[in-house]
Structures are given as structure tokens and as C-alpha cells.
Amino acid sequence: KATKASLVQSRIKQLEKVELIEVEEDDAVMNFHFPAPPAGAHSVVRLEKVSKHYGPVAVFEDVDFEIVKGDRIAIVGVNGAGKSTTIKMLGGILVPDGGSVLCGGRVPWKERKENALHMGVVFGQRSQLNWELPMEDTFELYRKMYRIPESIYKRNVECFTELLGMEEFLRKPVRSLSLGQKMRAELAASLLHDPEVLFLDEPTVGLDVVAKD
């Protein structure tokens, strides 16, 4: 029987016979210009003394924070700490048990439709795409739903298609896409209408390193 040492030596000899392929370095740089967001409240998000309970269990209590335009905020915590719950409250899906929540100067659950027109959201575990339609058809549906002007819509579709490398699967049904491709589409769909604020809940599920960068 071959020993481990002899097997290793045999593998080394095989590797030495492999022809190396020189790969030319690509120094090309892609530049993207993102237009300034539409005018809105300086304070994009404001929470004051906010609490939320599920039955007798307190998810969080007396939470205070403010996000202004230009901020990039990450909420980090263990499972069950209330990260997704906070995003759902800002989207008007959930109502806090106490305190004040404002998103763009609006009370999310009282002005849910208006609030939705000015925000984008991606939930890594839930899709906003139509499973049977190609991505470009879903984008067109969003154009009508958000009343996006044609010029802005075309500009954004072209921008995100190039930025996220979606050209090869733009016309394929969503059900046939890989998880990473679906997440790229989710990100693009959430940004089509130039939202004032973007909420991301586990947005890198399925994305490779290049797409994350």
C-alpha cells in the first residue's frame, strides 16, 4: 500500500508538471456618479424613548438615536436583539409600544404609503421580486408603482445593471437566478426610485466578495 509520504511526493511531481498561466493585471477603473438625493428632512431617522415587546418579553426599551443625511449606520447585535424589528418599525410594518419614531419627518405606521415612497429596504430573507417575471419586468412594475420619471428610471437601471453586473441575467425569470443574483436584483430594486434612506437587513446573503465591495 502507498504510504502518505509517497502519495504526497507523487502529488508534488504532478503539480510540477502543470503549466503556469500568466494572467495580465487589469488596471481599468470604473467611475460611477450617483446624483444627490431629493430634498427632504435633515434628520432622516429619529427614535426617542422607543420600546418594543413581544408579549411579556422586552425586545428593547428606551432606545434613542438619530440619523442625518449622509450617515451610514450599522446596527450590530445578537439574534433577537431587535435589529429587524427596528427596521420594520421604520418601514411602518410594526408599531412601537412606547416612544416616538420618525422617518423623514413622518410617523411610519400612520403615513405608510408616503413613507414607502421615500425609503428603500432589503430584507435578506424575504424577496420583493416577482418569482415568475424577469428582473427587467419587475423593475418596470416598480417604475409605475413609485411613479419614477422615465429619464431617472432609465439612468438608474443602466447604472445598477453595470455596477452590480446584472446584464447577463437581467432578462431571466427570477426563479432561475442564483441566491447571489437575486440579492443583486433586490438591491437594485430598492434603489430605483432614489430613496432618501435605505435600510438593509442581512443584504449580503449569497453575495460574493466582489459584489459586497
Side-chain angles (χ1 to χ4, degrees):
K1 294 182 179 179
T3 64
K4 288 185 178 180
S6 63
L7 290 173
V8 170
Q9 289 299 320
S10 175
R11 180 59 59 87
I12 291 175
K13 290 180 181 179
Q14 291 176 1
L15 291 173
E16 290 175 346
K17 295 177 182 179
V18 175
E19 182 180 354
L20 297 178
I21 299 175
E22 295 291 335
V23 179
E24 296 182 3
E25 294 186 4
D26 185 1
D27 295 327
V29 177
M30 292 188 294
N31 295 312
F32 296 93
H33 171 70
F34 293 92
H42 177 69
S43 177
V44 180
V45 169
R46 183 192 297 270
L47 275 72
E48 296 181 348
K49 304 298 182 183
V50 175
S51 62
K52 183 62 182 177
H53 300 77
Y54 289 113
V57 179
V59 181
F60 48 71
E61 292 183 324
D62 295 328
V63 172
D64 295 274
F65 69 82
E66 181 179 22
I67 300 174
V68 300
K69 280 190 174 181
D71 281 350
R72 298 179 182 180
I73 305 297
I75 302 178
V76 182
V78 298
N79 291 339
K83 303 183 296 298
S84 297
T85 296
T86 300
I87 293 177
K88 289 176 181 177
M89 285 196 303
L90 291 168
I93 301 172
L94 294 177
V95 179
D97 295 320
S100 170
V101 177
L102 292 177
C103 187
R106 295 171 288 273
V107 179
W109 57 93
K110 291 183 178 180
E111 305 170 77
R112 189 169 176 182
K113 289 184 178 180
E114 185 65 23
N115 188 52
L117 290 174
H118 298 278
M119 62 172 281
V121 62
V122 174
F123 287 102
Q125 304 296 336
R126 296 184 181 181
S127 179
Q128 59 187 322
L129 306 174
N130 189 303
W131 201 248
E132 299 298 329
L133 295 179
M135 281 169 44
E136 62 180 1
D137 288 352
T138 298
F139 290 167
E140 179 64 23
L141 179 64
Y142 271 61
R143 181 186 72 80
K144 295 178 180 179
M145 185 171 67
Y146 284 104
R147 302 190 290 274
I148 306 172
E150 185 67 28
S151 60
I152 295 177
Y153 172 75
K154 290 182 65 175
R155 178 201 68 196
N156 286 351
V157 169
E158 291 175 1
C159 174
F160 296 126
T161 296
E162 183 176 1
L163 180 63
L164 296 171
M166 301 189 301
E167 177 62 35
E168 64 181 54
F169 55 88
L170 191 63
R171 296 165 186 84
K172 294 181 179 179
V174 171
R175 56 180 165 75
S176 68
L177 304 183
S178 68
L179 178 57
Q181 290 171 336
K182 289 190 185 81
M183 286 309 302
R184 296 184 192 196
E186 296 278 359
L187 286 168
S190 67
L191 291 166
L192 281 180
H193 58 296
D194 288 343
E196 295 176 3
V197 59
L198 176 65
F199 299 117
L200 304 174
D201 187 7
E202 299 184 11
T204 58
V205 172
L207 293 183
D208 55 29
V209 175
V210 175
K212 291 178 182 178
D213 289 342

